[in-house]
Amino acid sequence: MPLPLFALFLAAFAFGTTEFVIAGILPDVAQGLDVSIPFAGYLVSGYALGIALGGPLLTMATRQVSRRTILIALTIAFCLGQIACALAPDFAAMLLFRVATAIAHGAYFGIAMVVAVGLVPQAFRGRAVSVILAGLTVSNIVGVPLGAAIGGLWGWRTTFWAMTLVGVLALVAIWVLIPQTKAETQQSGHLSGEVRVLGRQQVWTSLIMMLALMIGQMVPFTYITPLLREVTGLDAMLIPWVLLLNGVGATLGVVIGGRLSDWKLMPSLIAMLAIQSAILVVLYLVSPYPLPMSVAIFVWGALNFAIGTPIQARILMWTADAPGLASSLIPSGFNIGIAIAASVGAALLESGYGYRSLPVLGAITLALACVVAILSAANERRSGAVPPNAALT
């Protein structure tokens, strides 16, 4: 891994950990801030909304600032946010600090992906995107369990102090390793140009596929613990190991997705969407059986992140001449998908459908995404359109 990409990976790991670690310490946070656990759950939804809504706005507001400077500023904001959360006197303050950190999170991932693909030759851009995504997957495998363990041993506020330290390390890495280039100093173009590129069918169809992917992933995953406990019959002590297996699969999927993106992007994407739809049907069929269910969850996790890489690479490829707004919509799209998935899943359960039904909705959604991908690729071939060749640095 080139050292500049490692710096971007480390900051992505920090942001990913602070987003998801709250789930591991939520009961302690609720007790410490004197609120109920369900009410403390607004810290999760508030963070997701901060990414989805604030990230694009901050990205557009800083269009005329060099990307290296913005990356440094966003990492500083991350560190200050962790300190503020560690010192938060009440729930309202904690929510405010979490949302502020989330805005920086949303802007960071969009800008970091543009910088990452600009650091490598065109043939390796898919793998560059996968490095940023790997920061998220590794945060779930390493950062979240470790952060939860730190909170369990020394209190939840210590978790945020530990995250501050990770942020400082990421800040130093970005400061030292990310180059300042002439092309990066002033991001050209007007807002109208940024908006206009969103009208390219390759961009908006990719955003549709992104939403479908997140619904197919997060509708079952949001309720994976009760699904494994009540349908599969797993002991509570075994469930974290199955989730770890899912995380390992996700990390493997990032690597695979990056290589497939650099090989044959659309054929690979279409094939993986079709296979993932079938895997979700398999999840439904094998959910009562522990061993096949564990294997299916591993494959499902790998495909979720393998699919995410080419979708993001495609958006960046087709917005290379005006990447600011489009790149910031990538984390927004993912988090809007998370919010929709949680709501749809809850609605299904409240309507009387069981946990086992959730993968079926995911299978339908991924099948529709596969159709969208096929139609988009066919349209692209007929039109003879080619991606813009603007430099991404």
Side-chain angles (χ1 to χ4, degrees), residues 15 72-82 100-101 104:
F15 275 111
I72 290 171
L74 293 174
T75 312
I76 291 174
F78 171 86
C79 295
L80 294 176
Q82 304 317 294
T101 304

Side-chain angles (χ1 to χ4, degrees), residues 283-323:
L283 273 180
Y284 167 78
L285 295 174
V286 304
S287 56
Y289 310 105
L291 184 56
M293 183 62 165
S294 299
V295 173
I297 284 177
F298 171 80
V299 177
W300 174 56
L303 280 170
N304 280 329
F305 280 82
I307 295 169
T309 300
I311 290 176
Q312 294 175 82
R314 191 179 192 226
I315 292 173
L316 293 172
M317 178 191 303
W318 284 94
T319 60
D321 51 341

Side-chain angles (χ1 to χ4, degrees), residues 100-191:
T101 304
I103 293 172
H105 179 140
Y108 173 82
F109 275 87
I111 295 170
M113 287 180 186
V114 174
V115 172
V117 298
L119 290 170
V120 299
Q122 185 170 356
F124 298 100
R125 286 177 176 176
R127 269 170 269 192
V129 171
S130 74
V131 169
I132 309 301
L133 280 181
L136 289 178
T137 59
V138 174
S139 74
N140 278 280
I141 296 173
V142 178
V144 172
L146 185 59
I150 290 172
L153 290 172
W154 295 295
W156 64 269
R157 294 183 187 273
T158 310
T159 299
F160 289 101
W161 287 116
M163 290 309 306
T164 304
L165 177 60
V166 177
V168 170
L169 294 175
L171 175 61
V172 172
I174 289 174
W175 190 289
V176 172
L177 299 175
I178 298 298
Q180 178 85 35
T181 63
K182 182 178 181 181
E184 183 186 332
T185 303
Q186 202 67 233
Q187 297 183 39
S188 60
H190 300 286
L191 179 59

Side-chain angles (χ1 to χ4, degrees), residues 219 223 341-354 357-362:
V219 167
Y223 304 97
S343 300
V344 170
L348 283 174
L349 295 174
E350 290 172 356
S351 298
Y353 293 93
S357 68
L358 299 180
V360 176
L361 175 62

Side-chain angles (χ1 to χ4, degrees), residues 243-311:
L243 297 181
L244 176 62
L245 195 63
N246 179 268
V248 171
T251 303
L252 179 62
V254 166
V255 176
I256 294 172
R259 293 185 178 276
L260 291 176
S261 298
D262 293 332
W263 178 52
K264 291 184 180 295
L265 193 152
M266 285 308 293
S268 300
L269 179 56
I270 291 168
M272 287 190 293
L273 288 169
I275 294 170
Q276 185 70 320
S277 180
I279 289 295
L280 282 159
V281 174
V282 171
L283 273 180
Y284 167 78
L285 295 174
V286 304
S287 56
Y289 310 105
L291 184 56
M293 183 62 165
S294 299
V295 173
I297 284 177
F298 171 80
V299 177
W300 174 56
L303 280 170
N304 280 329
F305 280 82
I307 295 169
T309 300
I311 290 176

